[in-house]
Amino acid sequence: MAAGIDDIAIYIPKLYVDATDFAVARGLDPVKLQKGLGISQMAIVDANQDPAILAANACLKIMQKNKLSPDDIGRLYVSTESSFDESKAMNSYVIGMLEQVYGQDTFEHCGGVETKFACVSGSYALYDNTNWIRAGEAEGKCALVVVSDIAKYDMGSSGEMTQGAGAVAMLLNDDPRLLVFDPKVTSTSIKDEYDFYRPFGKETPIVHGQYSNLLYMIQVRKALEAYKRKAVSTGLIKIGADETVLDHVDYINMHLPYSNMGRKALAYLVRHEWRQLPRWKKVLQKIGSEEPVPNDPQGTIESVLGDEEFMTKDHEFTKMFTKTPEYQEVYEAKLASSLIASSMIGNLYTASLYLGFRSSLEFEFQKRVDLEGKRVGFGSYGSGSSAMVFSGVIQPRYKEIVEGMDLEAEIGKRRRLTWDEYEKLHENKLSPDESMLQPTKEFALVHVKTETESRGERHYIFTE
Ligand code: CAA
């Protein structure tokens, strides 16, 4: 049985920090954010918002748009790494909010859990729910997978410039208008790592930034190797001489902690794939040098990062490589459109990859590309760490969904925060009733109880 994504909806907080304001306040060169990292704005949550609200707002949008009732939904999964409870799953908060609109107990039949594995857990949730449908367990119902996060780092840390917030809701069924997942090729890699983690009780993560960048690329490369093996052995893709698996994937969506990480990761994967091919010689001729090799080629990630001579040469080589027409062609055709939304919104952790997919659909469609039958690849990464590589094919009825996409209209009118406002929100100095914006037709947080017996209970309302 086929299964995949029928429709996709986003909810992005309307407050944002402008990259230039951020750079000025932190004494950085604005070009580092804009060109170095690809960040223009970072969405920031208001004082009356939390990750469950972002998820519920995205769910409500997709349900209203498709005129779905709770009876149409068999499973509701929420994937997040911004969880605020160690036991109560975020999907239960979301169901509580949705029942304010659809009526008490209307989601009683709807199973689901909150999933966690840093930024990759949404991909595991998609895979599990796709298999629930493929197994014929859905009884004609759809699954809702919502990825929702607030990417928040310590004040003054190097991660602070890669913040953002938002949720993406994806509706899955057995006759999707948008994308059918390719069967039997989903591939993973996993390793116990401390590149980025958030211990109990800490609101912001502990991050080893450069380590996490390199680990991300290594893990996705390993998952891609497994994907390639499966794609060939199942007959999904036939790789000819002087070809790589990437030649058979029309669009590539990467996990985007910041927009340029997609560019960086694609360059790393393409280099890895092209190295064995005749075309590599031509590329090396254009660059004018051999590919640098670490002083200890069998070394650890730490030893590679500590090998300054290699890192400098490799940085230079990557820069030259990404300027070659061969790489530029791949970048423009397969990746560039997926990066646009990320630069406007910032890091969405679990939701970043899917915001990128949404962005690619809208901006490729605007270029009048016929997307039907195109294969879309996904490179998902979660710190800690695991990667997942999988793919799907765009369906004949995709236009019903994609022609209505308008990122700016979906975000709505945004408000640029002053530095003082940003700091107050970041330091949680405002209570929900001191929010910057008055929500309309959205869920909002009213109160979090502090009494011993009910500590942590959250009270939400839907505002008309
Ligand atoms: N003008 C133009 N470009 C400039 C510049 C300037 N003045 N200054 C720096 N740059 C460029 C650099 O050359 C670099 O480009 P390349 O990536 O092409 O080399 C880029 O801007 C970033 O500069 P640095 O690498 O020096 O930046 P940094 O070390 O200060 O911080 C970061 C970058 C490590 C990503 C940091 O923001 C961070 O720790 N972020 C959080 C962790 C993260 O996002 N990790 C990503 C992988 S892990 C993951 O994906 C999980 C997750 O979601 C968090």
Side-chain angles (χ1 to χ4, degrees):
M1 188 185 282
I5 303 176
D6 183 68
D7 198 2
I8 187 162
I10 57 170
Y11 178 82
I12 307 296
K14 293 176 181 61
L15 301 177
Y16 72 93
V17 171
D18 190 84
T20 315
D21 298 345
F22 184 93
V24 169
R26 288 277 173 254
L28 297 167
D29 180 356
V31 186
K32 173 171 179 177
L33 275 83
Q34 290 153 356
K35 293 259 186 310
L37 296 160
I39 297 165
S40 311
Q41 289 114 16
M42 293 183 271
I44 302 288
V45 281
D46 209 335
N48 59 355
Q49 295 185 311
D50 66 18
I53 283 173
L54 309 184
N57 283 333
C59 282
L60 186 63
K61 272 177 144 184
I62 208 163
M63 287 186 68
Q64 289 179 335
K65 180 181 165 213
N66 289 284
K67 300 190 171 50
L68 296 172
S69 77
D71 275 344
D72 299 315
I73 313 293
R75 310 230 296 192
L76 196 161
Y77 272 49
V78 180
S79 303
T80 186
E81 56 176 301
S82 321
S83 189
F84 42 73
D85 194 285
E86 311 294 0
S87 171
K88 186 172 155 66
M90 200 176 285
N91 57 317
S92 70
Y93 296 89
V94 172
I95 280 173
M97 281 184 257
L98 291 174
E99 286 190 346
Q100 289 188 32
V101 175
Y102 290 100
Q104 203 179 345
D105 300 336
T106 47
F107 280 84
E108 205 172 48
H109 60 280
C110 187
V113 290
E114 172 191 313
T115 68
K116 175 175 73 181
F117 201 137
C119 308
V120 75
S121 68
S123 303
Y124 279 93
L126 269 184
Y127 183 52
D128 290 356
N129 282 284
T130 299
N131 286 333
W132 174 71
I133 294 167
R134 284 175 178 151
E137 299 255 349
E139 298 177 305
K141 293 189 194 298
C142 309
L144 260 183
V145 172
V146 200
V147 276
S148 179
D149 267 307
I150 298 171
K152 181 170 179 176
Y153 292 84
D154 285 336
M155 286 276 209
S157 68
S158 71
E160 195 192 7
M161 58 193 159
T162 60
Q163 298 183 116
V168 177
M170 288 169 280
L171 186 67
L172 306 188
N173 65 23
D174 60 5
D175 184 21
R177 287 167 290 177
L178 207 45
L179 178 117
V180 165
F181 287 119
D182 290 323
K184 299 183 178 165
V185 289
T186 296
S187 300
T188 56
S189 89
I190 196 160
K191 191 162 187 277
D192 176 15
E193 287 280 2
Y194 279 96
D195 56 324
F196 169 111
Y197 60 105
R198 188 165 68 87
F200 280 156
K202 192 169 182 318
E203 196 196 12
T204 49
I206 296 170
V207 191
H208 306 292
Q210 298 300 346
Y211 189 94
S212 70
N213 277 350
L214 185 53
L215 186 61
Y216 162 165
M217 297 189 285
I218 292 170
Q219 291 288 45
V220 175
R221 193 195 77 214
K222 286 183 180 168
L224 179 67
E225 287 293 338
Y227 172 89
K228 186 160 56 174
R229 187 177 42 73
K230 289 187 190 180
V232 170
S233 69
T234 58
L236 183 79
I237 292 175
K238 285 190 178 48
I239 305 177
D242 195 17
E243 277 189 349
T244 133
V245 68
L246 299 178
D247 297 336
H248 295 266
V249 181
D250 301 294
Y251 291 105
I252 299 173
N253 293 290
M254 301 301 302
H255 166 52
L256 300 174
Y258 51 94
S259 172
N260 277 7
M261 187 65 212
R263 186 192 294 249
K264 216 175 157 83
L266 182 69
Y268 180 91
L269 295 179
V270 172
R271 265 171 76 177
H272 180 72
E273 285 295 314
W274 286 7
R275 209 170 273 144
Q276 318 303 333
L277 302 179
R279 72 182 82 161
W280 191 236
K281 279 205 182 89
K282 227 163 82 185
V283 172
L284 288 183
Q285 272 168 7
K286 285 196 182 144
I287 296 172
S289 74
E290 287 298 312
E291 202 177 5
V293 182
N295 284 320
D296 177 6
Q298 309 306 325
T300 59
I301 295 178
E302 284 98 335
S303 75
V304 171
L305 290 172
D307 185 345
E308 275 181 39
E309 188 193 350
F310 165 73
M311 289 304 289
T312 309
K313 282 189 185 158
D314 194 65
H315 192 246
E316 209 40 52
F317 183 89
T318 306
K319 254 175 135 176
M320 305 276 281
F321 173 59
T322 53
K323 284 182 186 150
T324 59
E326 287 81 358
Y327 176 77
Q328 276 295 318
E329 193 187 330
V330 175
Y331 168 77
E332 286 299 335
K334 297 181 195 280
L335 182 81
S337 293
S338 72
L339 308 183
I340 297 170
S342 171
S343 70
M344 292 163 60
I345 296 164
N347 194 356
L348 272 66
Y349 289 161
T350 51
S352 292
L353 174 64
Y354 300 101
L355 181 70
F357 171 48
R358 160 77 177 63
S359 177
S360 170
L361 292 170
E362 178 174 339
F363 296 106
E364 283 299 299
F365 186 71
Q366 277 183 16
K367 288 197 232 161
R368 299 182 189 279
V369 178
D370 183 7
L371 299 174
E372 183 180 339
K374 300 278 189 214
R375 173 152 287 122
V376 181
F378 296 84
S380 190
Y381 176 69
S383 292
S385 74
S386 178
M388 184 183 275
V389 170
F390 53 102
S391 58
V393 174
I394 301 203
Q395 296 301 294
R397 288 185 297 156
Y398 78 91
K399 279 191 193 150
E400 290 174 34
I401 307 297
V402 176
E403 66 192 354
M405 285 181 171
D406 181 342
L407 186 61
E408 285 190 25
E410 265 199 77
I411 301 173
K413 194 166 180 295
R414 302 176 87 183
R415 179 170 151 202
R416 184 174 179 163
L417 290 169
T418 65
W419 190 252
D420 181 51
E421 288 171 335
Y422 162 70
E423 284 193 327
K424 279 192 184 132
L425 284 167
H426 192 286
E427 294 302 285
N428 303 323
K429 292 218 169 101
L430 303 177
S431 59
D433 59 350
E434 294 173 301
S435 67
M436 308 265 163
L437 300 174
Q438 279 309 313
T440 49
K441 301 206 178 308
E442 289 184 4
F443 296 104
L445 179 67
V446 180
H447 180 59
V448 184
K449 289 192 180 169
T450 51
E451 297 80 356
T452 313
E453 287 308 312
S454 54
R455 189 178 150 211
E457 266 186 35
R458 287 175 181 244
H459 178 204
Y460 300 104
I461 49 157
F462 182 70
T463 53
E464 287 299 339

